[in-house]
Short mmCIF file of all heavy atoms in Angstrom, two decimals:
data_model
loop_
_atom_site.label_atom_id
_atom_site.label_comp_id
_atom_site.label_asym_id
_atom_site.label_seq_id
_atom_site.Cartn_x
_atom_site.Cartn_y
_atom_site.Cartn_z
N MET A 153 101.24 97.15 119.64
CA MET A 153 101.55 98.06 118.56
C MET A 153 103.03 98.44 118.66
O MET A 153 103.51 98.81 119.71
CB MET A 153 100.67 99.30 118.71
CG MET A 153 100.83 100.30 117.63
SD MET A 153 99.70 101.66 118.01
CE MET A 153 99.29 102.15 116.42
N SER A 154 103.75 98.35 117.56
CA SER A 154 105.17 98.66 117.59
C SER A 154 105.45 99.99 116.91
O SER A 154 104.70 100.44 116.05
CB SER A 154 105.97 97.55 116.91
OG SER A 154 105.69 97.56 115.53
N ASN A 155 106.53 100.60 117.32
CA ASN A 155 106.96 101.85 116.70
C ASN A 155 108.08 101.55 115.73
O ASN A 155 109.24 101.63 116.07
CB ASN A 155 107.46 102.85 117.76
CG ASN A 155 106.35 103.44 118.56
OD1 ASN A 155 105.23 103.50 118.08
ND2 ASN A 155 106.64 103.89 119.76
N THR A 156 107.72 101.16 114.52
CA THR A 156 108.72 100.89 113.51
C THR A 156 108.78 102.07 112.55
O THR A 156 107.77 102.72 112.29
CB THR A 156 108.41 99.61 112.71
OG1 THR A 156 107.14 99.76 112.10
CG2 THR A 156 108.42 98.40 113.62
N THR A 157 109.97 102.34 112.06
CA THR A 157 110.17 103.43 111.12
C THR A 157 110.66 102.84 109.82
O THR A 157 111.60 102.07 109.80
CB THR A 157 111.21 104.44 111.66
OG1 THR A 157 110.77 104.91 112.92
CG2 THR A 157 111.38 105.59 110.71
N THR A 158 110.01 103.20 108.75
CA THR A 158 110.44 102.77 107.43
C THR A 158 111.22 103.91 106.79
O THR A 158 110.72 105.02 106.69
CB THR A 158 109.22 102.42 106.54
OG1 THR A 158 108.48 101.41 107.20
CG2 THR A 158 109.66 101.96 105.18
N VAL A 159 112.44 103.64 106.42
CA VAL A 159 113.27 104.64 105.76
C VAL A 159 113.13 104.44 104.27
O VAL A 159 113.36 103.36 103.76
CB VAL A 159 114.75 104.51 106.19
CG1 VAL A 159 115.61 105.50 105.44
CG2 VAL A 159 114.87 104.71 107.69
N GLY A 160 112.73 105.50 103.58
CA GLY A 160 112.50 105.39 102.15
C GLY A 160 113.58 106.05 101.33
O GLY A 160 114.35 106.86 101.83
N GLU A 161 113.63 105.65 100.07
CA GLU A 161 114.54 106.24 99.10
C GLU A 161 113.71 106.81 97.97
O GLU A 161 112.69 106.23 97.60
CB GLU A 161 115.45 105.16 98.51
CG GLU A 161 116.70 104.90 99.27
CD GLU A 161 117.58 103.90 98.55
OE1 GLU A 161 117.50 103.79 97.31
OE2 GLU A 161 118.34 103.23 99.23
N SER A 162 114.15 107.92 97.41
CA SER A 162 113.45 108.49 96.26
C SER A 162 113.49 107.49 95.12
O SER A 162 114.47 106.77 94.94
CB SER A 162 114.12 109.80 95.84
OG SER A 162 114.02 110.76 96.86
N ARG A 163 112.42 107.43 94.37
CA ARG A 163 112.33 106.47 93.27
C ARG A 163 111.38 107.00 92.20
O ARG A 163 110.57 107.88 92.46
CB ARG A 163 111.88 105.12 93.78
CG ARG A 163 110.51 105.13 94.42
CD ARG A 163 110.23 103.81 95.14
NE ARG A 163 108.94 103.80 95.77
CZ ARG A 163 108.68 104.28 96.99
NH1 ARG A 163 109.65 104.83 97.69
NH2 ARG A 163 107.48 104.23 97.51
N ALA A 164 111.51 106.45 91.02
CA ALA A 164 110.71 106.88 89.88
C ALA A 164 110.06 105.68 89.21
O ALA A 164 110.67 104.61 89.13
CB ALA A 164 111.61 107.61 88.87
N VAL A 165 108.84 105.87 88.72
CA VAL A 165 108.14 104.83 87.97
C VAL A 165 107.51 105.45 86.73
O VAL A 165 107.17 106.62 86.72
CB VAL A 165 107.04 104.13 88.81
CG1 VAL A 165 107.64 103.37 89.98
CG2 VAL A 165 106.01 105.11 89.30
N ILE A 166 107.38 104.63 85.69
CA ILE A 166 106.72 105.08 84.46
C ILE A 166 105.28 104.63 84.52
O ILE A 166 105.00 103.47 84.84
CB ILE A 166 107.39 104.47 83.21
CG1 ILE A 166 108.85 104.90 83.13
CG2 ILE A 166 106.65 104.87 81.95
CD1 ILE A 166 109.65 104.16 82.07
N ARG A 167 104.37 105.54 84.22
CA ARG A 167 102.94 105.23 84.21
C ARG A 167 102.29 105.88 83.00
O ARG A 167 102.77 106.90 82.49
CB ARG A 167 102.25 105.77 85.47
CG ARG A 167 102.71 105.12 86.75
CD ARG A 167 102.18 103.69 86.85
NE ARG A 167 102.52 103.08 88.11
CZ ARG A 167 103.50 102.19 88.29
NH1 ARG A 167 104.24 101.83 87.28
NH2 ARG A 167 103.73 101.67 89.47
N ALA A 168 101.18 105.30 82.57
CA ALA A 168 100.39 105.92 81.50
C ALA A 168 99.76 107.19 82.04
O ALA A 168 99.47 107.30 83.24
CB ALA A 168 99.30 104.95 81.05
N ILE A 169 99.56 108.15 81.17
CA ILE A 169 98.84 109.37 81.56
C ILE A 169 97.36 109.05 81.46
O ILE A 169 96.87 108.67 80.41
CB ILE A 169 99.21 110.55 80.65
CG1 ILE A 169 100.70 110.85 80.75
CG2 ILE A 169 98.39 111.78 81.04
CD1 ILE A 169 101.19 111.91 79.77
N GLU A 170 96.66 109.16 82.57
CA GLU A 170 95.25 108.80 82.65
C GLU A 170 94.37 110.02 82.38
O GLU A 170 94.76 111.15 82.68
CB GLU A 170 94.93 108.25 84.04
CG GLU A 170 95.72 107.02 84.43
CD GLU A 170 95.30 105.78 83.67
OE1 GLU A 170 94.14 105.72 83.22
OE2 GLU A 170 96.14 104.88 83.52
N PRO A 171 93.16 109.79 81.84
CA PRO A 171 92.23 110.91 81.68
C PRO A 171 91.97 111.57 83.04
O PRO A 171 91.88 110.90 84.06
CB PRO A 171 90.95 110.24 81.16
CG PRO A 171 91.41 108.95 80.56
CD PRO A 171 92.61 108.54 81.36
N GLY A 172 91.91 112.87 83.05
CA GLY A 172 91.65 113.61 84.28
C GLY A 172 92.90 113.95 85.07
O GLY A 172 92.82 114.56 86.12
N CYS A 173 94.07 113.57 84.56
CA CYS A 173 95.32 113.87 85.24
C CYS A 173 95.48 115.39 85.32
O CYS A 173 95.30 116.10 84.34
CB CYS A 173 96.50 113.26 84.49
SG CYS A 173 98.10 113.59 85.25
N ALA A 174 95.78 115.90 86.51
CA ALA A 174 95.92 117.35 86.71
C ALA A 174 97.31 117.72 87.19
O ALA A 174 97.50 118.73 87.85
CB ALA A 174 94.87 117.83 87.70
N ALA A 175 98.31 116.90 86.84
CA ALA A 175 99.67 117.13 87.30
C ALA A 175 100.38 118.15 86.41
O ALA A 175 100.01 118.36 85.26
CB ALA A 175 100.45 115.83 87.31
N THR A 176 101.43 118.75 86.97
CA THR A 176 102.28 119.67 86.23
C THR A 176 103.69 119.11 86.24
O THR A 176 104.18 118.67 87.28
CB THR A 176 102.27 121.07 86.90
OG1 THR A 176 100.93 121.55 86.92
CG2 THR A 176 103.15 122.04 86.16
N CYS A 177 104.35 119.15 85.09
CA CYS A 177 105.71 118.62 84.96
C CYS A 177 106.66 119.46 85.79
O CYS A 177 106.68 120.69 85.70
CB CYS A 177 106.13 118.64 83.49
SG CYS A 177 107.80 118.02 83.20
N SER A 178 107.48 118.79 86.60
CA SER A 178 108.44 119.47 87.47
C SER A 178 109.59 120.11 86.70
O SER A 178 110.27 120.98 87.23
CB SER A 178 109.00 118.49 88.50
OG SER A 178 108.00 118.11 89.40
N LYS A 179 109.79 119.71 85.46
CA LYS A 179 110.88 120.29 84.67
C LYS A 179 110.39 121.48 83.84
O LYS A 179 110.94 122.56 83.92
CB LYS A 179 111.51 119.27 83.74
CG LYS A 179 112.66 119.86 82.90
CD LYS A 179 113.25 118.86 81.96
CE LYS A 179 114.45 119.41 81.21
NZ LYS A 179 114.17 120.55 80.36
N CYS A 180 109.33 121.28 83.05
CA CYS A 180 108.90 122.32 82.10
C CYS A 180 107.70 123.13 82.56
O CYS A 180 107.29 124.07 81.87
CB CYS A 180 108.63 121.70 80.73
SG CYS A 180 107.14 120.66 80.67
N ASP A 181 107.11 122.79 83.69
CA ASP A 181 105.94 123.47 84.26
C ASP A 181 104.70 123.45 83.36
O ASP A 181 103.80 124.26 83.52
CB ASP A 181 106.27 124.93 84.62
CG ASP A 181 107.17 125.02 85.83
OD1 ASP A 181 107.05 124.16 86.73
OD2 ASP A 181 108.00 125.95 85.88
N GLN A 182 104.65 122.52 82.41
CA GLN A 182 103.48 122.35 81.55
C GLN A 182 102.64 121.20 82.08
O GLN A 182 103.15 120.28 82.73
CB GLN A 182 103.92 122.07 80.11
CG GLN A 182 104.68 123.20 79.47
CD GLN A 182 103.85 124.46 79.35
OE1 GLN A 182 102.71 124.44 78.90
NE2 GLN A 182 104.41 125.57 79.82
N PRO A 183 101.34 121.21 81.79
CA PRO A 183 100.48 120.12 82.27
C PRO A 183 100.89 118.77 81.70
O PRO A 183 101.29 118.67 80.54
CB PRO A 183 99.08 120.50 81.75
CG PRO A 183 99.16 121.94 81.40
CD PRO A 183 100.59 122.24 81.06
N VAL A 184 100.81 117.76 82.53
CA VAL A 184 100.99 116.38 82.10
C VAL A 184 99.58 115.89 81.85
O VAL A 184 98.88 115.50 82.77
CB VAL A 184 101.69 115.53 83.19
CG1 VAL A 184 101.81 114.08 82.75
CG2 VAL A 184 103.05 116.10 83.53
N LYS A 185 99.12 115.99 80.59
CA LYS A 185 97.71 115.73 80.35
C LYS A 185 97.48 114.61 79.35
O LYS A 185 98.30 114.37 78.46
CB LYS A 185 96.99 116.99 79.94
CG LYS A 185 97.46 117.60 78.65
CD LYS A 185 96.70 118.89 78.38
CE LYS A 185 97.17 119.52 77.09
NZ LYS A 185 96.47 120.74 76.80
N PHE A 186 96.34 113.98 79.51
CA PHE A 186 95.90 112.90 78.65
C PHE A 186 95.48 113.47 77.30
O PHE A 186 94.79 114.48 77.22
CB PHE A 186 94.70 112.20 79.30
CG PHE A 186 94.09 111.13 78.45
CD1 PHE A 186 94.65 109.87 78.40
CD2 PHE A 186 92.94 111.38 77.72
CE1 PHE A 186 94.08 108.87 77.63
CE2 PHE A 186 92.36 110.40 76.96
CZ PHE A 186 92.93 109.14 76.90
N ILE A 187 95.93 112.81 76.22
CA ILE A 187 95.50 113.17 74.87
C ILE A 187 94.99 111.89 74.22
O ILE A 187 95.72 110.90 74.15
CB ILE A 187 96.65 113.77 74.05
CG1 ILE A 187 97.18 115.04 74.72
CG2 ILE A 187 96.20 114.06 72.62
CD1 ILE A 187 98.43 115.61 74.09
N ALA A 188 93.74 111.91 73.78
CA ALA A 188 93.14 110.72 73.18
C ALA A 188 93.96 110.24 71.99
O ALA A 188 94.54 111.03 71.25
CB ALA A 188 91.71 111.03 72.74
N ARG A 189 94.03 108.93 71.83
CA ARG A 189 94.72 108.23 70.74
C ARG A 189 96.24 108.34 70.79
O ARG A 189 96.92 107.95 69.86
CB ARG A 189 94.20 108.69 69.38
CG ARG A 189 92.74 108.39 69.19
CD ARG A 189 92.29 108.71 67.80
NE ARG A 189 90.85 108.51 67.74
CZ ARG A 189 90.03 109.24 67.01
NH1 ARG A 189 90.50 110.23 66.29
NH2 ARG A 189 88.75 108.99 67.02
N ILE A 190 96.76 108.91 71.85
CA ILE A 190 98.21 108.95 72.04
C ILE A 190 98.50 108.24 73.36
O ILE A 190 97.92 108.58 74.38
CB ILE A 190 98.74 110.40 72.08
CG1 ILE A 190 98.52 111.07 70.74
CG2 ILE A 190 100.21 110.42 72.48
CD1 ILE A 190 98.95 112.52 70.70
N ASN A 191 99.37 107.28 73.31
CA ASN A 191 99.72 106.54 74.53
C ASN A 191 100.79 107.31 75.29
O ASN A 191 101.95 106.92 75.31
CB ASN A 191 100.20 105.13 74.20
CG ASN A 191 99.10 104.26 73.65
OD1 ASN A 191 97.95 104.43 74.03
ND2 ASN A 191 99.43 103.36 72.76
N GLY A 192 100.38 108.41 75.91
CA GLY A 192 101.33 109.24 76.64
C GLY A 192 101.82 108.56 77.90
O GLY A 192 101.10 107.81 78.55
N ARG A 193 103.09 108.80 78.22
CA ARG A 193 103.68 108.24 79.44
C ARG A 193 104.23 109.38 80.30
O ARG A 193 104.65 110.41 79.80
CB ARG A 193 104.81 107.27 79.10
CG ARG A 193 104.31 106.07 78.33
CD ARG A 193 105.41 105.09 78.03
NE ARG A 193 106.40 105.72 77.15
CZ ARG A 193 107.60 105.24 76.93
NH1 ARG A 193 107.99 104.14 77.53
NH2 ARG A 193 108.45 105.84 76.14
N GLN A 194 104.19 109.15 81.58
CA GLN A 194 104.74 110.11 82.52
C GLN A 194 105.63 109.36 83.50
O GLN A 194 105.56 108.14 83.61
CB GLN A 194 103.63 110.83 83.28
CG GLN A 194 102.81 109.92 84.18
CD GLN A 194 101.77 110.66 84.98
OE1 GLN A 194 102.05 111.73 85.50
NE2 GLN A 194 100.58 110.10 85.07
N VAL A 195 106.49 110.10 84.17
CA VAL A 195 107.31 109.53 85.23
C VAL A 195 106.83 110.17 86.53
O VAL A 195 106.73 111.39 86.63
CB VAL A 195 108.81 109.80 85.01
CG1 VAL A 195 109.63 109.26 86.17
CG2 VAL A 195 109.28 109.17 83.69
N ILE A 196 106.49 109.32 87.48
CA ILE A 196 106.03 109.78 88.78
C ILE A 196 107.11 109.41 89.80
O ILE A 196 107.57 108.27 89.84
CB ILE A 196 104.69 109.13 89.17
CG1 ILE A 196 103.63 109.44 88.11
CG2 ILE A 196 104.24 109.61 90.56
CD1 ILE A 196 102.33 108.70 88.31
N CYS A 197 107.52 110.40 90.61
CA CYS A 197 108.61 110.19 91.56
C CYS A 197 108.14 110.45 92.98
O CYS A 197 107.54 111.49 93.25
CB CYS A 197 109.77 111.13 91.26
SG CYS A 197 110.38 110.99 89.58
N ASN A 198 108.40 109.50 93.85
CA ASN A 198 108.23 109.72 95.29
C ASN A 198 109.56 110.25 95.79
O ASN A 198 110.59 109.60 95.64
CB ASN A 198 107.90 108.41 96.01
CG ASN A 198 106.45 108.05 95.85
OD1 ASN A 198 105.58 108.84 96.22
ND2 ASN A 198 106.18 106.89 95.31
N VAL A 199 109.55 111.44 96.37
CA VAL A 199 110.77 112.10 96.79
C VAL A 199 110.89 112.02 98.31
O VAL A 199 109.98 112.43 99.04
CB VAL A 199 110.80 113.57 96.32
CG1 VAL A 199 112.07 114.26 96.76
CG2 VAL A 199 110.63 113.65 94.81
N TYR A 200 112.02 111.49 98.76
CA TYR A 200 112.32 111.36 100.19
C TYR A 200 113.52 112.24 100.53
O TYR A 200 114.41 112.43 99.70
CB TYR A 200 112.65 109.91 100.54
CG TYR A 200 111.47 108.99 100.52
CD1 TYR A 200 110.95 108.52 99.33
CD2 TYR A 200 110.87 108.60 101.70
CE1 TYR A 200 109.86 107.66 99.30
CE2 TYR A 200 109.77 107.73 101.70
CZ TYR A 200 109.27 107.28 100.50
OH TYR A 200 108.19 106.44 100.48
N ASN A 201 113.54 112.77 101.72
CA ASN A 201 114.67 113.55 102.22
C ASN A 201 115.07 112.96 103.57
O ASN A 201 114.27 112.94 104.49
CB ASN A 201 114.28 115.02 102.35
CG ASN A 201 115.44 115.92 102.69
OD1 ASN A 201 116.58 115.45 102.84
ND2 ASN A 201 115.18 117.20 102.82
N ASN A 202 116.29 112.45 103.65
CA ASN A 202 116.77 111.77 104.86
C ASN A 202 115.83 110.65 105.30
O ASN A 202 115.54 110.50 106.48
CB ASN A 202 116.97 112.77 106.00
CG ASN A 202 118.09 113.75 105.71
OD1 ASN A 202 119.10 113.39 105.11
ND2 ASN A 202 117.89 114.99 106.11
N GLY A 203 115.32 109.91 104.33
CA GLY A 203 114.47 108.77 104.63
C GLY A 203 113.02 109.10 104.92
O GLY A 203 112.22 108.22 105.18
N VAL A 204 112.64 110.37 104.85
CA VAL A 204 111.28 110.81 105.14
C VAL A 204 110.62 111.29 103.86
O VAL A 204 111.17 112.13 103.15
CB VAL A 204 111.27 111.94 106.19
CG1 VAL A 204 109.86 112.43 106.46
CG2 VAL A 204 111.94 111.48 107.47
N TRP A 205 109.41 110.75 103.56
CA TRP A 205 108.70 111.14 102.35
C TRP A 205 108.34 112.62 102.41
O TRP A 205 107.85 113.11 103.42
CB TRP A 205 107.42 110.30 102.21
CG TRP A 205 106.67 110.64 100.97
CD1 TRP A 205 106.89 110.15 99.71
CD2 TRP A 205 105.57 111.54 100.85
NE1 TRP A 205 106.01 110.69 98.83
CE2 TRP A 205 105.18 111.56 99.50
CE3 TRP A 205 104.89 112.35 101.74
CZ2 TRP A 205 104.13 112.34 99.02
CZ3 TRP A 205 103.85 113.13 101.27
CH2 TRP A 205 103.48 113.12 99.93
N LYS A 206 108.60 113.34 101.30
CA LYS A 206 108.34 114.78 101.22
C LYS A 206 107.26 115.14 100.22
O LYS A 206 106.42 115.99 100.47
CB LYS A 206 109.62 115.56 100.87
CG LYS A 206 110.68 115.49 101.94
CD LYS A 206 110.19 116.15 103.21
CE LYS A 206 111.24 116.10 104.30
NZ LYS A 206 110.77 116.66 105.54
N ARG A 207 107.32 114.53 99.01
CA ARG A 207 106.37 114.95 97.96
C ARG A 207 106.41 113.95 96.80
O ARG A 207 107.25 113.09 96.74
CB ARG A 207 106.73 116.34 97.45
CG ARG A 207 108.06 116.40 96.73
CD ARG A 207 108.48 117.84 96.38
NE ARG A 207 109.80 117.86 95.80
CZ ARG A 207 110.95 117.80 96.47
NH1 ARG A 207 110.94 117.70 97.78
NH2 ARG A 207 112.10 117.83 95.85
N VAL A 208 105.48 114.18 95.87
CA VAL A 208 105.44 113.45 94.61
C VAL A 208 105.71 114.46 93.49
O VAL A 208 105.18 115.56 93.53
CB VAL A 208 104.06 112.78 94.38
CG1 VAL A 208 103.97 112.17 93.00
CG2 VAL A 208 103.80 111.74 95.45
N GLU A 209 106.57 114.09 92.56
CA GLU A 209 106.84 114.94 91.40
C GLU A 209 106.44 114.17 90.15
O GLU A 209 106.65 112.97 90.06
CB GLU A 209 108.32 115.32 91.32
CG GLU A 209 108.75 116.25 92.43
CD GLU A 209 110.21 116.70 92.29
OE1 GLU A 209 110.88 116.36 91.29
OE2 GLU A 209 110.67 117.40 93.21
N HIS A 210 105.87 114.90 89.19
CA HIS A 210 105.47 114.32 87.91
C HIS A 210 106.34 114.93 86.82
O HIS A 210 106.68 116.11 86.88
CB HIS A 210 104.00 114.65 87.60
CG HIS A 210 103.05 114.02 88.54
ND1 HIS A 210 102.31 112.91 88.22
CD2 HIS A 210 102.70 114.33 89.82
CE1 HIS A 210 101.55 112.57 89.24
NE2 HIS A 210 101.77 113.42 90.23
N TYR A 211 106.67 114.12 85.81
CA TYR A 211 107.44 114.57 84.66
C TYR A 211 106.85 113.99 83.39
O TYR A 211 106.36 112.85 83.41
CB TYR A 211 108.89 114.07 84.74
CG TYR A 211 109.71 114.64 85.86
CD1 TYR A 211 109.68 114.08 87.13
CD2 TYR A 211 110.54 115.73 85.65
CE1 TYR A 211 110.45 114.59 88.15
CE2 TYR A 211 111.32 116.25 86.67
CZ TYR A 211 111.27 115.67 87.93
OH TYR A 211 112.03 116.19 88.94
N HIS A 212 106.92 114.73 82.28
CA HIS A 212 106.70 114.10 80.99
C HIS A 212 107.84 113.09 80.83
O HIS A 212 108.96 113.33 81.32
CB HIS A 212 106.79 115.13 79.85
CG HIS A 212 105.71 116.15 79.89
ND1 HIS A 212 105.94 117.44 80.34
CD2 HIS A 212 104.40 116.08 79.56
CE1 HIS A 212 104.81 118.12 80.27
NE2 HIS A 212 103.87 117.32 79.82
N PHE A 213 107.59 112.01 80.14
CA PHE A 213 108.62 110.98 79.97
C PHE A 213 109.91 111.57 79.41
O PHE A 213 111.00 111.32 79.93
CB PHE A 213 108.08 109.86 79.07
CG PHE A 213 109.04 108.73 78.89
CD1 PHE A 213 109.20 107.78 79.89
CD2 PHE A 213 109.79 108.62 77.74
CE1 PHE A 213 110.10 106.73 79.73
CE2 PHE A 213 110.68 107.57 77.57
CZ PHE A 213 110.83 106.62 78.56
N ASP A 214 109.82 112.38 78.37
CA ASP A 214 111.01 112.98 77.75
C ASP A 214 111.69 113.99 78.67
O ASP A 214 112.92 114.07 78.70
CB ASP A 214 110.65 113.65 76.42
CG ASP A 214 110.22 112.64 75.36
OD1 ASP A 214 110.62 111.46 75.47
OD2 ASP A 214 109.50 113.03 74.43
N CYS A 215 110.92 114.76 79.42
CA CYS A 215 111.50 115.74 80.34
C CYS A 215 112.34 115.06 81.41
O CYS A 215 113.39 115.58 81.80
CB CYS A 215 110.41 116.59 81.00
SG CYS A 215 109.67 117.81 79.90
N TYR A 216 111.90 113.91 81.87
CA TYR A 216 112.64 113.20 82.91
C TYR A 216 114.03 112.81 82.39
O TYR A 216 115.02 112.97 83.09
CB TYR A 216 111.87 111.98 83.40
CG TYR A 216 112.48 111.37 84.64
CD1 TYR A 216 112.39 112.02 85.86
CD2 TYR A 216 113.16 110.17 84.59
CE1 TYR A 216 112.96 111.47 87.02
CE2 TYR A 216 113.73 109.61 85.73
CZ TYR A 216 113.62 110.27 86.93
OH TYR A 216 114.19 109.73 88.07
N ASP A 217 114.09 112.34 81.16
CA ASP A 217 115.39 112.01 80.56
C ASP A 217 116.24 113.26 80.37
O ASP A 217 117.45 113.24 80.60
CB ASP A 217 115.21 111.30 79.22
CG ASP A 217 114.95 109.82 79.37
OD1 ASP A 217 115.28 109.26 80.44
OD2 ASP A 217 114.40 109.22 78.43
N GLU A 218 115.62 114.35 79.94
CA GLU A 218 116.35 115.59 79.69
C GLU A 218 117.00 116.16 80.94
O GLU A 218 118.01 116.84 80.87
CB GLU A 218 115.43 116.64 79.07
CG GLU A 218 115.06 116.34 77.63
CD GLU A 218 114.00 117.29 77.10
OE1 GLU A 218 113.74 118.33 77.72
OE2 GLU A 218 113.44 116.98 76.03
N CYS A 219 116.42 115.90 82.11
CA CYS A 219 117.01 116.41 83.35
C CYS A 219 117.85 115.33 84.05
O CYS A 219 118.07 115.39 85.25
CB CYS A 219 115.97 117.04 84.27
SG CYS A 219 114.70 115.93 84.87
N ASP A 220 118.32 114.36 83.27
CA ASP A 220 119.25 113.33 83.74
C ASP A 220 118.71 112.46 84.86
O ASP A 220 119.46 112.09 85.78
CB ASP A 220 120.59 113.95 84.13
CG ASP A 220 121.29 114.62 82.96
OD1 ASP A 220 121.17 114.09 81.83
OD2 ASP A 220 121.92 115.66 83.17
N GLN A 221 117.44 112.14 84.81
CA GLN A 221 116.81 111.19 85.73
C GLN A 221 117.22 111.43 87.18
O GLN A 221 117.91 110.61 87.80
CB GLN A 221 117.13 109.75 85.31
CG GLN A 221 116.66 109.41 83.94
CD GLN A 221 116.96 107.98 83.54
OE1 GLN A 221 117.70 107.27 84.20
NE2 GLN A 221 116.37 107.57 82.44
N PRO A 222 116.78 112.55 87.77
CA PRO A 222 117.24 112.93 89.12
C PRO A 222 116.91 111.91 90.21
O PRO A 222 117.57 111.92 91.26
CB PRO A 222 116.53 114.25 89.37
CG PRO A 222 115.36 114.26 88.46
CD PRO A 222 115.80 113.48 87.25
N TYR A 223 115.95 111.03 90.00
CA TYR A 223 115.59 110.04 91.02
C TYR A 223 115.85 108.62 90.55
O TYR A 223 115.23 107.67 91.00
CB TYR A 223 114.13 110.24 91.45
CG TYR A 223 113.90 111.63 91.95
CD1 TYR A 223 113.16 112.54 91.21
CD2 TYR A 223 114.47 112.08 93.14
CE1 TYR A 223 112.98 113.85 91.65
CE2 TYR A 223 114.31 113.38 93.59
CZ TYR A 223 113.56 114.26 92.84
OH TYR A 223 113.40 115.55 93.27
N GLY A 224 116.76 108.48 89.61
CA GLY A 224 117.16 107.16 89.14
C GLY A 224 116.36 106.67 87.95
O GLY A 224 115.42 107.31 87.49
N GLU A 225 116.78 105.53 87.47
CA GLU A 225 116.13 104.86 86.35
C GLU A 225 114.69 104.49 86.73
O GLU A 225 114.48 103.83 87.75
CB GLU A 225 116.90 103.59 85.99
CG GLU A 225 116.35 102.81 84.83
CD GLU A 225 116.71 103.42 83.49
OE1 GLU A 225 117.74 104.09 83.40
OE2 GLU A 225 115.93 103.20 82.55
N PRO A 226 113.70 104.97 85.96
CA PRO A 226 112.32 104.63 86.32
C PRO A 226 112.02 103.16 86.09
O PRO A 226 112.48 102.58 85.12
CB PRO A 226 111.47 105.53 85.42
CG PRO A 226 112.35 105.96 84.32
CD PRO A 226 113.77 105.84 84.79
N GLY A 227 111.27 102.58 86.99
CA GLY A 227 110.92 101.18 86.90
C GLY A 227 109.52 100.97 86.44
O GLY A 227 108.74 101.81 86.21
#
């Protein structure tokens, strides 16, 4: 068994909002919720500090753009 350390970088991805999503937008503090017949998108960010994973942040797609994409261009 080896002791390897993976150093991570904060990153963002675009995902569909799924039924049952219970996330809150990190910008506007409103629920990121599924609405039938609307193809809602969210940005999910893995946040690292000094290479160590700290948390996941969720954003409405538009909110992420409004706050100048703090974790980079979503992939």
